[in-house]
Amino acid sequence: MHFLISSAQPYTLLDESLAQHPDVAEQTVLTALRTWMRPRCDSVRKHESWGAVLSDAGLGNDCLLCFDLLMHSLTDESCRPLDTRCRCASDLAKDEAALLQTLALLQRMRSDEAIALLDDWLPRPASGVVLKVARWFAFWLLDAGLEIRVRERRVTYVH
């Protein structure tokens, strides 16, 4: 067996154990996303709207419109249903992690890596539109002091 550990590999696997513990910025986006996808979560028993989640975090009406457009773009253009969890879930779904990572990369002007993540689940023409809307949303998050972490990790290959 040959083990190769490379820290220069891009983050491609979104199953890192630390990703299951979102920080405040990530949790804000996750709660808004999950509330948008499932507005009536009986387990949570809170009549919270995704708009209230983002407004409470200091985001304005333009950002709320942008988030709604982003979510409509993702759900309308996706090749498959989005993998998301209920608001009461503690673990991250693959698409939730990919969206968080996309926003983090866009906040750092790493568009090529963000496009690669979007290309995994959106058809090529749609990924360009989603990228533009996601970029605006990512910048509004930054403006409100919500910085999403880029989760770099070392990948071990066994040959």
Side-chain angles (χ1 to χ4, degrees):
M1 274 195 244
H2 180 276
F3 294 94
L4 171 68
I5 299 175
S6 173
S7 60
Q9 291 291 331
Y11 186 93
T12 56
L13 301 175
L14 300 169
D15 58 354
E16 173 185 348
S17 61
L18 291 178
Q20 302 306 324
H21 306 286
D23 62 17
V24 173
E26 293 167 330
Q27 191 61 55
T28 299
V29 174
L30 273 178
T31 303
L33 170 101
R34 290 172 174 178
T35 306
W36 192 94
M37 292 294 291
R38 292 180 181 89
R40 299 192 200 303
C41 176
D42 292 335
S43 299
V44 175
R45 301 211 193 292
K46 286 171 71 176
H47 299 289
E48 184 174 51
S49 74
W50 61 266
V53 170
L54 295 176
S55 292
D56 291 348
L59 298 160
N61 286 335
D62 288 339
C63 182
L64 272 62
L65 290 171
C66 184
F67 177 78
D68 191 40
L69 180 60
L70 174 62
M71 294 305 299
H72 276 290
S73 299
L74 287 172
T75 56
D76 293 347
E77 301 297 333
S78 180
C79 299
R80 57 179 169 69
L82 291 181
D83 180 22
T84 61
R85 301 285 187 260
C86 177
R87 285 187 282 166
C88 56
S90 60
D91 60 327
L92 281 175
K94 182 180 180 195
D95 290 342
E96 292 171 339
L99 181 60
L100 287 172
Q101 195 65 175
T102 299
L103 293 171
L105 292 167
L106 290 173
Q107 286 181 338
R108 285 157 190 80
M109 308 299 276
R110 292 166 58 181
S111 296
D112 291 342
E113 293 169 79
I115 289 170
L117 283 174
L118 291 175
D119 281 345
D120 280 346
W121 102 67
L122 295 170
R124 187 52 130 161
S127 64
V129 172
V130 171
L131 180 72
K132 288 177 180 131
V133 177
R135 182 177 286 125
W136 279 107
F137 181 63
F139 290 153
W140 270 313
L141 288 172
L142 265 181
D143 222 24
L146 297 171
E147 184 175 343
I148 309 294
R149 292 180 286 166
V150 174
R151 295 183 182 263
E152 306 286 352
R153 76 178 212 161
R154 299 167 70 106
V155 179
T156 304
Y157 294 97
V158 179
H159 298 278

